[in-house]
Amino acid sequence: MHEAFIQAYFLKKDETIERVEQQEQLFVATIVKKTARTFRKVAYLKLTMNTEFTSPLPKKLTSYKFTPNAKRTLHETNDTIQQWLQQGWIVREIRYHTDGISVKEDYYRIGPAYIEAQQKSEQQQFAKQQQQMQALKQKAEKLALPELFQQAIEWNMLPEQWTMKKRMKYIEFCLAFYALSLQKELFDFKEIGAALHDTIGGSKVFDQEREVFLAQLEQSGIDPMLYGLVSIGKIVPIYFTGNVQNNVATYAIGAVHATTDNAVLTSPFTTTNTTLWLVENRAILTRIAVETEFLRQTNSCIVCLDGQIRSAHKQFIEQLLQSAIEQTIIWTDTDSAGITIAKYAAELVKGTVKIVGRDYELYHSIESFTAQEQEAHEQEQQLGGIEQWIKWM
């Protein structure tokens, strides 16, 4: 009799098994509630007589997504339900009203065979994960990873909210990424998966986690572009206006221009402008871009960060800073995301930096900007005009 199973999954407070009877190759357990003032029948349980289970889990049963607390109505034939009951996959639970006679609920719950199958599956999954971890460890040792990559794949350094499966996939990604960087000077993001899995669809194996994994790499201090990543499998646009040029193109003030991550990597950009504006939102870029005379008089170049400093933006900005830039003005929203962007942007600047805060206040260091409590607002709320922009310069 599955007394321990019933106690673990079915009995509520003050409930106990009063008796167990055999009925049509099933056990029928009568559940009663006993207190100092109460003794009444509260439920019937119909479950298997078997104690050993060898049959495979019915595929049809998995669609009901049973959990230990789930109550299900089954849309199957009586023969199928009876078979599942006898094999121990499910338990029928009938709950009564306080009169102990009229039925309150009648449903099916997870059975002992199902629980055992889940436990075996979890054990097998754990053993498989341990084997995979060991294989990844051996691969990492064989690659002789540099210190940055060793730190990047340390288990405790990965986001707490990541599942074990996601953590192992990230470690696999890091190893595949580094291995490919040793083989090729330049490569596309999709080549990482393709090199790891020599099958149709292998190139897409990391697509779903692309943004997250690349962001985690950068957070670990690894710039993917420096290791040869030419493209992340999609075009990343960089919007700007100013006198900018590289080996294949020349851009002038008077319009908003766009380049890509691939162009930034393959042909460095330079500028003759002396003031670089780094703005978070496109609305600011498009507004200032039409003020051609202002741009010309102040010798300004403006780069839009599009709400996030990606590797492409970082590379582009660093290239421009090596030209004639004398000062950099950072202008973002003053919410938490905007302040984070301002911090990252300030880290790139080697010369004079100015940060625009709330109420047109100007700060001359990221420390003074972050030290001042900034009430959250968008750039567009204090867009200002030429007179204000000149004051900041």
Side-chain angles (χ1 to χ4, degrees):
M1 182 37 204
H2 304 284
E3 185 174 348
F5 169 73
I6 293 174
Q7 289 177 344
Y9 295 99
F10 291 85
L11 298 188
K12 299 180 181 180
K13 185 180 179 182
D14 297 325
E15 291 184 352
T16 185
I17 303 171
E18 183 190 31
R19 66 178 181 272
V20 178
E21 303 170 305
Q22 186 176 341
Q23 185 183 100
E24 297 179 354
Q25 299 181 335
L26 293 172
F27 279 137
V28 178
T30 302
I31 310 300
V32 297
K33 184 171 184 177
K34 285 184 178 181
T35 67
R37 298 181 179 181
T38 305
F39 180 86
R40 61 183 173 85
K41 182 177 67 175
V42 293
Y44 269 140
L45 299 178
K46 291 187 176 183
L47 68 162
T48 183
M49 297 173 62
N50 296 333
T51 55
E52 295 184 5
F53 310 106
T54 56
S55 302
L57 179 65
K59 201 169 186 179
K60 207 170 187 181
L61 186 58
T62 59
S63 64
Y64 289 97
K65 298 180 180 179
F66 273 99
T67 63
N69 295 320
K71 303 174 182 179
R72 300 285 186 253
T73 299
L74 304 182
H75 306 289
E76 310 297 334
T77 64
N78 288 333
D79 287 345
T80 299
I81 292 174
Q82 193 68 15
Q83 186 180 39
W84 287 352
L85 279 168
Q86 291 174 2
Q87 292 177 344
W89 298 116
I90 56 175
V91 172
R92 184 178 181 183
E93 182 173 20
I94 302 170
R95 285 272 166 183
Y96 293 95
H97 285 287
T98 54
D99 60 9
I101 300 173
S102 54
V103 175
K104 181 182 180 182
E105 294 178 290
D106 188 351
Y107 44 75
Y108 294 92
R109 291 180 61 185
I110 197 167
Y114 207 133
I115 291 287
E116 187 174 300
Q118 284 185 332
Q119 291 173 345
K120 286 181 179 178
S121 177
E122 289 171 0
Q123 290 169 358
Q124 291 170 354
Q125 183 67 23
F126 180 76
K128 184 179 178 181
Q129 288 175 338
Q130 292 301 306
Q131 291 175 351
Q132 291 173 339
M133 284 294 294
Q134 186 61 29
L136 290 174
K137 184 178 179 181
Q138 292 173 353
K139 187 174 182 180
E141 291 174 351
K142 189 176 180 179
L143 281 171
L145 293 176
E147 187 176 353
L148 265 180
F149 275 88
Q150 289 180 23
Q151 294 173 350
I153 63 174
E154 284 184 10
W155 198 261
N156 295 333
M157 297 299 291
L158 303 181
E160 291 182 5
Q161 67 272 23
W162 282 12
T163 62
M164 184 174 186
K165 183 179 179 181
K166 188 169 183 177
R167 290 181 180 215
M168 290 201 301
K169 190 171 184 179
Y170 175 72
I171 293 173
E172 183 182 46
F173 165 76
C174 287
L175 298 180
F177 175 88
Y178 181 70
L180 191 59
S181 73
L182 296 178
Q183 299 170 24
K184 306 181 72 172
E185 290 186 8
L186 301 174
F187 56 91
D188 182 87
F189 181 86
K190 288 185 177 292
E191 290 183 73
I192 302 170
L196 186 64
H197 300 283
D198 188 15
T199 58
I200 298 297
S203 64
K204 301 176 183 178
V205 70
F206 297 118
D207 279 5
Q208 191 173 351
E209 298 86 4
R210 173 175 51 202
E211 299 291 344
V212 176
F213 283 2
L214 288 177
Q216 183 64 27
L217 263 187
E218 292 185 7
Q219 191 173 326
S220 301
I222 299 170
D223 187 339
M225 287 190 171
L226 296 181
Y227 285 85
L229 185 64
V230 178
S231 169
I232 64 170
K234 67 175 184 178
I235 297 174
V236 176
I238 306 169
Y239 298 102
F240 65 95
T241 187
N243 295 318
V244 177
Q245 54 279 322
N246 68 355
N247 292 338
V248 295
T250 299
Y251 307 89
I253 59 174
V256 172
H257 306 290
T259 188
T260 66
D261 52 342
N262 190 30
V264 168
L265 184 63
T266 55
S267 182
F269 286 79
T270 60
T271 181
T272 56
N273 298 132
T274 55
T275 297
L276 175 63
W277 295 70
L278 303 179
V279 300
E280 181 178 350
N281 303 323
R282 294 185 190 180
I284 307 300
L285 171 65
T286 55
R287 171 65 184 88
I288 301 180
V290 299
E291 303 291 353
T292 307
E293 193 58 33
F294 164 76
L295 294 173
R296 183 178 293 110
Q297 288 181 0
T298 59
N299 203 12
S300 292
C301 172
I302 305 172
V303 177
C304 178
L305 303 175
D306 254 348
Q308 181 181 349
I309 299 183
R310 299 179 176 84
S311 292
H313 293 101
K314 179 182 176 184
Q315 195 90 346
F316 185 61
I317 293 166
E318 287 178 338
Q319 290 172 1
L320 296 182
L321 288 171
Q322 293 176 15
S323 304
I325 299 299
E326 296 175 0
Q327 69 168 338
T328 302
I329 300 174
I330 300 170
W331 188 2
T332 66
D333 295 340
T334 55
D335 58 1
S336 58
I339 293 172
T340 299
I341 293 170
K343 287 179 181 178
Y344 286 145
E347 288 177 2
L348 301 176
V349 180
K350 296 178 177 61
T352 302
V353 63
K354 298 175 182 177
I355 302 105
V356 177
R358 186 171 172 80
D359 300 325
Y360 304 103
E361 190 71 26
L362 193 67
Y363 299 87
H364 295 272
S365 71
I366 192 63
E367 290 77 19
S368 60
F369 174 70
T370 54
Q372 182 69 33
E373 186 174 341
Q374 301 284 336
E375 184 180 347
H377 82 299
E378 294 181 328
Q379 292 177 275
E380 292 83 353
Q381 291 177 272
Q382 58 167 42
L383 203 152
I386 293 176
E387 290 183 8
Q388 180 59 56
W389 305 338
I390 290 175
K391 288 179 182 179
W392 289 334
M393 301 184 69

